[in-house]
Amino acid sequence: MTLITDIRLRRILDSRGNPTVEADVVTESGGFGRAAAPSGASTGEYEAVERPPGEAIAAAREHAVPRLVGEVYAGNQRDVDAALHAADGTDDFSEIGANSAVAISMAAAKAGADVLGAPLFQHLGGTFRGENFPIPLGNVVGGGEHAADATDIQEFLAAPVGAPSVADAVFANAAVHAAVADLLEERDVPCGKGDEGAWAPSIDDGEAFDVVAEAVSMVQDEVGFNIGFGLDVAGAELYDSVSGTYEYSDVSRDTDEQIEYIAELVEEYDLVYVEDPLDEDDYDAFADLTDEVGDQTLICGDDLFVTNTDRLIEGIDRGAANSILIKPNQIGTLTDAFDAIELATENGYDSVVSHRSGETEDATIAHLAVATDAPFIKTGAVGGERTAKLNELIRIADDAT
Ligand SMILES: O=C(O)[C@@H](CO)OP(=O)(O)O
Ligand SMILES: [Mg+2]
């Protein structure tokens, strides 16, 4: 019933106004799935390769579509994704593009769910999923590669760890986002928004820490549950491999100083989450920091692991980080993303399913997080392409998908 009978690929707009790949998958019994690839700005060196959308579409039409249409059942995700790998023939999707691959992979999953008449999370995760929800990490202030002339640290995140429901958590993050705007106005700091909808003021990191800590504590008092504070440092973007230092606007830190700086921030702000505090090649530094503060906070590898099980195995062996960011487009298929989450879970690493800075209204990652029982999701706080995922989580919790 789920035999794939048609695949259409097109260029659509992403949230930055750039083209991206959208896929439609149709099955023999009329099942339909549509999904779109997101796109990163602070991309990891070891990510699967995103090709210009026009080229990715042409290559996928030539190599992948003939291997899928009339050949593979959309309901069998591993077969779909194996066919995508076989069609590509490289180990980084540089032939058909990880953007075409992930769009087709996710669209096939949705078509499979459609034939079953089941919500996507249930098709992917089974009937016992849908009871637990990820804690949403909400980006409220940001800079780095996501906004010009703003903070050095890429993302200051609200983490409503004590929220009684996913809806309460989502609204709490939006409230922190609004409180940050009020506090910045009081300080006469004008600001626009960065790529993910976070405020992008022209302030230094120290001032951003003050503002976000105050906003978090104000909203925490209002809502009456615990809201933590987290960061995505995007360390690889700050790291200068020639000098071996992390280059901030006002200071440069060598690796030991960077480890100490992050450890101090964990203490001072009681950080519950720190993503990519160090360079993507430095497993040893990740291991040292994890050793120092890993019992107090999550040290998450994004550019370090790029959702890749080989890189995660290396991290597990060396004690680097205790958490992994999961971005399906970093690795190209849902199967690969699932395998990374399962390997992480088996080894006590918390998975954080994540958006990209360039997004669409596609909400697959909300279902992926619920399907895999992931403890966290990072998908912004406000903005249509971000709320598409947050509102989908609320609907899943309300049993309304
Ligand atoms: O670094 C990150 O975690 C992501 C998403 O927040 O950014 P980008 O998609 O630009 O890689
Ligand atoms: Mg990151």
Side-chain angles (χ1 to χ4, degrees), residues 313-361:
I313 287 168
E314 171 109 29
I316 292 164
D317 286 349
R318 296 168 70 165
N322 54 18
S323 166
I324 177 174
L325 209 72
I326 301 290
K327 292 166 166 170
N329 84 318
Q330 270 181 337
I331 194 69
T333 72
L334 280 179
T335 298
D336 292 290
F338 249 74
D339 289 347
I341 295 173
E342 290 200 341
L343 180 68
T345 308
E346 282 161 19
N347 288 279
Y349 278 52
D350 278 348
S351 292
V352 182
V353 177
S354 172
H355 66 168
R356 300 307 305 249
S357 47
E359 268 294 341
T360 70
E361 56 275 33

Side-chain angles (χ1 to χ4, degrees), residues 296-317:
Q296 286 159 261
T297 191
L298 289 179
I299 301 294
C300 183
D302 170 14
D303 293 348
L304 178 71
F305 294 138
V306 292
T307 318
N308 181 315
T309 48
D310 291 338
R311 291 187 65 86
L312 177 58
I313 287 168
E314 171 109 29
I316 292 164
D317 286 349

Side-chain angles (χ1 to χ4, degrees), residues 16 39-43 47 146 154-155 196 232 234 275 302-303 325 327 354-358 378:
R16 272 194 279 256
S39 175
S42 65
T43 44
E47 293 195 19
H146 294 168
Q154 183 178 283
E155 299 166 27
E196 298 182 349
D232 181 359
E275 180 181 325
D302 170 14
D303 293 348
L325 209 72
K327 292 166 166 170
S354 172
H355 66 168
R356 300 307 305 249
S357 47
K378 184 177 87 157

Side-chain angles (χ1 to χ4, degrees), residues 125-136:
T127 192
F128 294 106
R129 296 299 192 212
E131 296 297 318
N132 300 328
F133 288 86
I135 295 163

Side-chain angles (χ1 to χ4, degrees), residues 83-387:
L84 288 168
H85 276 292
D88 179 75
T90 71
D91 57 9
D92 58 5
F93 277 118
S94 49
E95 180 60 45
I96 65 169
N99 37 352
S100 276
V102 82
I104 295 171
S105 177
M106 299 192 304
K110 290 184 185 180
D114 189 34
V115 173
L116 290 173
L120 179 58
F121 76 85
Q122 208 172 76
H123 168 48
L124 296 175
T127 192
F128 294 106
R129 296 299 192 212
E131 296 297 318
N132 300 328
F133 288 86
I135 295 163
L137 303 173
N139 188 358
V140 295
V141 170
E145 293 297 302
H146 294 168
D149 196 23
T151 54
D152 291 328
I153 289 178
Q154 183 178 283
E155 299 166 27
F156 293 76
L157 302 154
V161 288
S165 73
V166 71
D168 287 307
V170 166
F171 284 107
N173 282 350
V176 175
H177 188 270
V180 166
D182 293 344
L183 292 171
L184 289 171
E185 201 181 329
E186 271 173 28
R187 291 169 179 241
D188 275 333
V189 178
C191 66
K193 290 178 184 169
D195 285 350
E196 298 182 349
W199 300 110
S202 181
I203 56 177
D204 62 22
D205 289 3
E207 190 169 3
F209 274 108
D210 289 348
V211 168
V212 176
E214 192 176 341
V216 161
S217 123
M218 277 163 53
V219 174
Q220 184 168 260
D221 289 348
E222 266 163 46
V223 296
F225 55 76
N226 190 8
I227 305 178
F229 189 160
L231 300 177
D232 181 359
V233 180
E237 304 294 336
L238 297 173
Y239 188 66
D240 179 339
S241 57
V242 177
S243 57
T245 49
Y246 293 83
E247 293 299 321
Y248 293 78
S249 310
D250 53 346
V251 65
S252 120
R253 295 184 171 93
D254 68 20
T255 300
D256 287 344
E257 288 166 342
Q258 175 74 355
I259 292 172
E260 275 329 294
Y261 173 57
I262 300 293
E264 278 162 29
L265 292 173
V266 169
E267 290 293 340
E268 185 171 352
Y269 295 100
D270 216 1
L271 298 178
V272 296
Y273 178 81
V274 186
E275 180 181 325
D276 278 353
L278 293 150
D279 183 55
E280 61 203 331
D281 286 311
D282 205 343
Y283 283 96
D284 288 339
F286 263 92
D288 289 347
L289 180 67
T290 308
D291 205 32
E292 211 169 313
V293 294
D295 54 348
Q296 286 159 261
T297 191
L298 289 179
I299 301 294
C300 183
D302 170 14
D303 293 348
L304 178 71
F305 294 138
V306 292
T307 318
N308 181 315
T309 48
D310 291 338
R311 291 187 65 86
L312 177 58
I313 287 168
E314 171 109 29
I316 292 164
D317 286 349
R318 296 168 70 165
N322 54 18
S323 166
I324 177 174
L325 209 72
I326 301 290
K327 292 166 166 170
N329 84 318
Q330 270 181 337
I331 194 69
T333 72
L334 280 179
T335 298
D336 292 290
F338 249 74
D339 289 347
I341 295 173
E342 290 200 341
L343 180 68
T345 308
E346 282 161 19
N347 288 279
Y349 278 52
D350 278 348
S351 292
V352 182
V353 177
S354 172
H355 66 168
R356 300 307 305 249
S357 47
E359 268 294 341
T360 70
E361 56 275 33
D362 190 284
T364 305
I365 58 166
H367 287 268
L368 177 62
V370 175
T372 55
D373 219 355
F376 295 92
I377 188 168
K378 184 177 87 157
T379 185
V382 299
E385 70 283 2
R386 317 290 152 188
T387 56

Side-chain angles (χ1 to χ4, degrees), residues 10-11 19-21 51-61 96 99-100:
R10 64 181 71 81
R11 291 185 342 140
T20 189
V21 179
R51 290 192 66 184
E55 290 174 20
I57 288 171
R61 281 187 185 137
I96 65 169
N99 37 352
S100 276

